Structure formats: C-alpha cells, structure tokens
Amino acid sequence: MNSNYYAILMAGGVGSRFWPVSTSACPKQFQDILGAGETLIQTTFARLLKIVPQENIYILTNARYEETVKDQIPGIKQEQIVLEPVMRDTAPSILLAALKIQERNKDAKMIVAPSDHWIQGVDKFVDDLNFAFEAVDDSDKLVTLGIKPTFPNTGYGYIKFEQSEDKRLIPVEQFTEKPTFKRAEKFLEEGNYAWNAGIFIWNVSSIIKNFEKYLPEMFNLFQKGKDYWNTEEEQGFINDNYHLANKISIDYGIIEKAENVFMIPANFGWNDLGTWGSLQEQLPQDDAGNTVINARLLPFEAEGNIVRAEENKIVVLEGLKDYIVLENEQVLLIVPKKNEQAIKEIRQKAIEKFGDKLG
C-alpha cells in the first residue's frame, strides 16, 4: 500500500432530506440508513482502507460529531479528525486538510470522498482510484470521477467532457450545476456529459496552488496557521479563524475555474443517496414495490411505499400508494414520494413550530 496516498472523508453535512431519520444531532452518515449492519461512514472508511493506509485517512466533520466519529471508527487518532467549528461548505475544509497533509508529506496525493454515498463494485472502485492516483503522479492534473447518467436527473451537477481518443482520462470542458429537466434531457442526448460524483483526486501541492490562485484570501488566512498544523495548537487556530473563511464549495471555488481538469468515467455502481427515492433504488422491494427498513410491514392494497421505523416496529398500511412513511423517537412523517424534495422545507417548518431538538 502506497504511503503517499491519503484520503479525506467529508462527514460534516446534516442530511436534511433524510429527516426525521437524519437529524443535526445524528446525521445520515452516522446511521445505518441502508439497514446493512453498519453506518454509511463505516462502509466508506472500510472501502478506502483497500487503497489508503488507515493512518492516512482524515475525517472532516463538524466539532459536535467528534465523539460520534471516535465511536464509529475505532482506532482513529485525534490528529486524523479535522473539526470544523462552523459550517463553511467544502472548500475551506479541503484546504485545511490539504495543508495538514502537506506539512506531513510533501509528496502526498489525496482523494476527497463524501462519507454517505453508495458504491457497488468495490474492486472496480479501487481500480479506478489506482488509475487516478497514477494519473496525477508528478502532474498538476485535477481529476474527478464521472458517472454515466441513466436519466435526466436535475439534482446532480453535470460534467461536459471533450471527445478524446483516451477513453479513461478525458479532458473536462465545463461543469453545470443542477440543470432544468429540459436541459438535462439535452445533455443525455448529446452524450458527452456525466454526473459529478463529488469524488476528486489530486496532488496535495497542486490543489494548494489552485487555492492560492483562485481563493487567495482563504489561502492567506489559513497560511497564518502553518506553524500549528499537526500540533496541539492547531485546533485553537482553527477555532479562532475558521469562521472568517468564505462559505463556498470546492466545485464553485476551484474546480469550475481551474485548468487541467480531467474526468475518469467510473466503472462502479454509484448513488449519492441524496433522497429517500434514490435510496429505494438500492434496496429490495416486496411484490407490491414497497421498501421496508427496520420494520415489519403488513400491507393491504398498499404499494410503492418506503417505510422506515424504529426497532423493527410492525407497520400496517391500507390503501396507501407511493408514500414515504418515516419515524424517529419524536417524529412521524408521512409524505407523498413525489413531494420528497419538500422534506427539507418541512423539517425547517417543524423546527420553527416545535423547537430545534426535532432537527
């Protein structure tokens, strides 16, 4: 296993579209959303261990989840947990991790991976990552993994790639964030677009140079802490300065502006598990198309539903079609599947009426 390979695992989100199962106190990445016997972050960590040494995997998360990370990833060291005192999107946390890693190993190459995605075909995933690490070796290439689109999804970003003789490392022309349905349909017709999986691979020195070029204020802010990286003073510097960084994603801040961006078409199955509907695609269904998680369902003319309960509860449904039925200890949510994008807004209204503890 290559000691120059590093990974940063993004685990700071709230997962509000999976409310009420996912809450700010325990977001979806720390839950067994799939009913697989381990949480999403545990699955992702285990997958990365097949290519990256355990001591080289960093977890970026909100400060409030520090103990949760330690509980779910036994043996992880404090220095491998990067704690954000406030949420500032992905760019500041990635820069922070890159500077920490560079201080430790100037020859480091790193993968940035979300902690809550579903991936099928781990061997193919590892093969794609090995190829990506080789592609960025001694180069300034910024590499992203692209997913072949299967339908005009309006919830994903799209990568327009150049027609190239090299079918595995392809130059990127442009990124488009969450297009309209008609535009997404056009992308699929044109054939040279891929979904953006949000998985990136690059040399640490290269991505830091791009921060210096495209986000100089953020770079200069964090450079003030160069004497503190990987020391006991590091967290104090982060607590005092992190909130001063602009709130911006790595996509908007760097990837969409940078030159020398390439895409590797992914050979593995992928789903970002962004909504309950996307989750249903990965789980078995009964003869009536119902998907059941952590529950025992007794359906009467009930079909196409998603049901998730607590502690294997018996759920009886009659005459319900294409609904989402979810519960936690405090909340029962019943909403049509066609309105699942409204769950984030419903969560906010529930918090406003009944209190923050629900969220």
Side-chain angles (χ1 to χ4, degrees), residues 162-180:
E162 296 180 10
Q163 302 293 351
S164 172
E165 292 183 3
D166 188 339
K167 300 300 182 183
R168 199 167 187 192
L169 186 64
I170 307 172
V172 169
E173 286 189 11
Q174 165 184 345
F175 289 84
T176 301
E177 287 296 320
K178 297 180 180 179
T180 63

Side-chain angles (χ1 to χ4, degrees), residues 206-279:
S206 297
I207 193 61
I208 291 175
K209 287 177 185 176
N210 277 276
F211 270 99
E212 189 173 7
K213 180 177 181 179
Y214 296 110
L215 293 174
E217 290 184 5
M218 187 182 297
F219 173 80
N220 291 331
L221 172 66
F222 286 177
Q223 268 295 92
K224 296 175 183 177
K226 62 182 179 180
D227 293 332
Y228 304 124
W229 305 136
N230 306 317
T231 72
E232 293 181 356
E233 287 77 31
E234 176 183 293
Q235 194 61 49
F237 174 83
I238 294 172
N239 292 342
D240 291 340
N241 292 276
Y242 196 83
H243 68 282
L244 300 174
N246 289 337
K247 186 176 182 181
I248 189 170
S249 71
I250 191 70
D251 302 79
Y252 282 121
I254 303 292
I255 302 301
E256 293 184 11
K257 301 173 184 176
E259 302 171 355
N260 214 26
V261 180
F262 289 78
M263 183 196 78
I264 294 174
N267 289 306
F268 50 86
W270 173 89
N271 192 302
D272 77 336
L273 300 184
T275 64
W276 288 104
S278 67
L279 174 67

Side-chain angles (χ1 to χ4, degrees), residues 104-149:
R104 181 177 161 189
N105 183 347
K106 296 187 183 302
D107 297 321
K109 303 162 184 61
M110 60 190 268
I111 173 176
V112 177
S115 61
D116 54 2
H117 287 184
W118 174 89
I119 285 176
Q120 184 180 40
V122 173
D123 290 343
K124 292 181 179 180
F125 172 79
V126 170
D127 182 62
D128 282 347
L129 281 195
N130 273 317
F131 179 78
F133 275 125
E134 292 170 3
V136 302
D137 191 31
D138 297 325
S139 80
D140 289 329
K141 292 184 177 71
L142 305 180
V143 173
T144 183
L145 298 185
I147 309 297
K148 184 177 181 179

Side-chain angles (χ1 to χ4, degrees), residues 7-26:
I8 56 178
L9 200 51
M10 310 298 287
V14 175
S16 54
R17 287 184 176 84
F18 275 81
W19 184 83
V21 176
S22 177
T23 66
S24 58
C26 189

Side-chain angles (χ1 to χ4, degrees), residues 147-354:
I147 309 297
K148 184 177 181 179
T150 54
F151 67 100
N153 192 313
T154 60
Y156 294 157
Y158 284 72
I159 305 168
K160 183 180 182 181
F161 53 89
E162 296 180 10
Q163 302 293 351
S164 172
E165 292 183 3
D166 188 339
K167 300 300 182 183
R168 199 167 187 192
L169 186 64
I170 307 172
V172 169
E173 286 189 11
Q174 165 184 345
F175 289 84
T176 301
E177 287 296 320
K178 297 180 180 179
T180 63
F181 184 79
K182 287 187 177 180
R183 197 173 184 195
E185 279 188 320
K186 187 172 184 294
F187 289 168
L188 265 66
E189 290 172 4
E190 292 181 8
N192 61 327
Y193 284 83
W195 287 335
N196 183 2
I199 302 174
F200 305 103
I201 304 94
W202 44 54
N203 272 315
V204 169
S205 58
S206 297
I207 193 61
I208 291 175
K209 287 177 185 176
N210 277 276
F211 270 99
E212 189 173 7
K213 180 177 181 179
Y214 296 110
L215 293 174
E217 290 184 5
M218 187 182 297
F219 173 80
N220 291 331
L221 172 66
F222 286 177
Q223 268 295 92
K224 296 175 183 177
K226 62 182 179 180
D227 293 332
Y228 304 124
W229 305 136
N230 306 317
T231 72
E232 293 181 356
E233 287 77 31
E234 176 183 293
Q235 194 61 49
F237 174 83
I238 294 172
N239 292 342
D240 291 340
N241 292 276
Y242 196 83
H243 68 282
L244 300 174
N246 289 337
K247 186 176 182 181
I248 189 170
S249 71
I250 191 70
D251 302 79
Y252 282 121
I254 303 292
I255 302 301
E256 293 184 11
K257 301 173 184 176
E259 302 171 355
N260 214 26
V261 180
F262 289 78
M263 183 196 78
I264 294 174
N267 289 306
F268 50 86
W270 173 89
N271 192 302
D272 77 336
L273 300 184
T275 64
W276 288 104
S278 67
L279 174 67
Q280 189 174 32
E281 297 171 12
Q282 313 308 330
L283 294 174
Q285 302 174 20
D286 65 16
D287 292 341
N290 298 302
T291 295
V292 184
I293 309 165
N294 294 343
R296 290 173 288 170
L297 178 66
L298 181 58
F300 296 95
E301 297 184 5
E303 57 187 65
N305 300 296
I306 302 172
V307 179
R308 191 187 194 279
E310 294 288 311
E311 299 179 352
N312 207 28
K313 181 179 293 183
I314 295 173
V315 179
V316 182
L317 298 181
E318 181 176 2
L320 206 63
K321 181 178 180 180
D322 294 332
Y323 268 72
I324 302 172
V325 181
L326 311 167
E327 71 159 6
N328 65 14
E329 292 180 353
Q330 294 178 289
V331 177
L332 172 64
L333 174 68
I334 304 173
V335 64
K337 282 165 61 175
K338 65 181 181 181
N339 293 342
E340 68 173 350
Q341 293 292 342
I343 290 178
K344 186 174 182 180
E345 182 181 348
I346 292 170
R347 169 184 175 269
Q348 187 57 41
K349 290 181 177 179
I351 290 171
E352 290 172 1
K353 184 166 184 177
F354 300 111

